[in-house]
Amino acid sequence: MQIIPIPIEKEITVDDDLSELILDSGNVIDGDILVIAQKIISKQEGRVVELSSVSPSLLAEGISSQYNKDPNIIELVLSESKRIVRMKNGIIIVETHGGFICANAGIDESNVVNGFATLLPLNSDISAQIIRTNIFKKTGKNV
């Protein structure tokens, strides 16, 4: 097995065709397994939130003061969660609406403009299938 990163040099936006960017950035071979960072999918799907637009609830305010976290981030975690699994040492483990068990509902502030955060894609299986189908339509390659 060989792992080959495919660099994409541009900032991903909602208008981007991820399959085209992948094909333009590297040589995709029939049968390749593509691993795409969640953040790229989230940005392309518009799952980016400006933190100043979030109105924290009383529950988010309480949790944020207890864990010394941004109440806006906590509100996003709560809104993206079906249930809280565990809270300990400043980490909130939740079950997302999509059924994932993860820290902070996958909310991520890294590699985005300051004051913004990304949310998990609504349905990562559908997101992957769209990219796979588009690559097949453009190249005839099954990835």
Side-chain angles (χ1 to χ4, degrees):
M1 178 185 338
Q2 186 178 21
I3 299 173
I4 303 168
I6 299 176
I8 296 176
E9 299 297 327
K10 70 178 289 317
E11 185 65 29
I12 303 299
T13 65
V14 173
D15 298 326
D16 287 328
D17 179 344
L18 292 181
S19 62
E20 195 67 39
L21 289 172
I22 291 166
L23 292 170
D24 288 347
S25 296
N27 186 22
V28 177
I29 298 170
D30 199 33
D32 276 356
I33 297 170
L34 302 178
V35 178
I36 303 169
Q38 158 268 316
K39 179 143 323 185
I40 290 173
I41 306 292
S42 295
K43 287 179 177 182
Q44 192 274 328
E45 293 181 355
R47 301 277 293 153
V48 180
V49 175
E50 186 171 3
L51 294 176
S52 65
S53 71
V54 176
S55 298
S57 62
L58 286 175
L59 178 58
E61 294 278 358
I63 293 171
S64 71
S65 66
Q66 183 179 1
Y67 286 96
N68 197 27
K69 291 193 177 266
D70 180 342
N72 296 347
I73 293 289
I74 299 299
E75 184 60 38
L76 288 175
V77 170
L78 294 173
S79 68
E80 292 292 306
S81 301
K82 190 182 302 184
R83 67 184 177 101
I84 295 174
V85 175
R86 181 180 182 159
M87 296 190 326
K88 188 174 183 181
N89 300 329
I91 298 172
I92 303 169
I93 306 296
V94 301
E95 179 180 0
T96 66
H97 295 295
F100 293 114
I101 305 293
C102 57
N104 299 322
I107 308 296
D108 191 354
E109 295 176 87
S110 65
N111 300 315
V112 289
V113 175
N114 192 28
F116 288 79
T118 58
L119 313 176
L120 290 177
L122 291 175
N123 187 321
S124 56
D125 291 333
I126 290 173
S127 302
Q129 187 59 45
I130 289 168
I131 293 169
R132 183 174 189 256
T133 300
N134 287 341
I135 288 174
F136 181 78
K137 284 179 181 177
K138 292 173 184 182
T139 66
K141 296 176 183 175
N142 284 306
V143 293

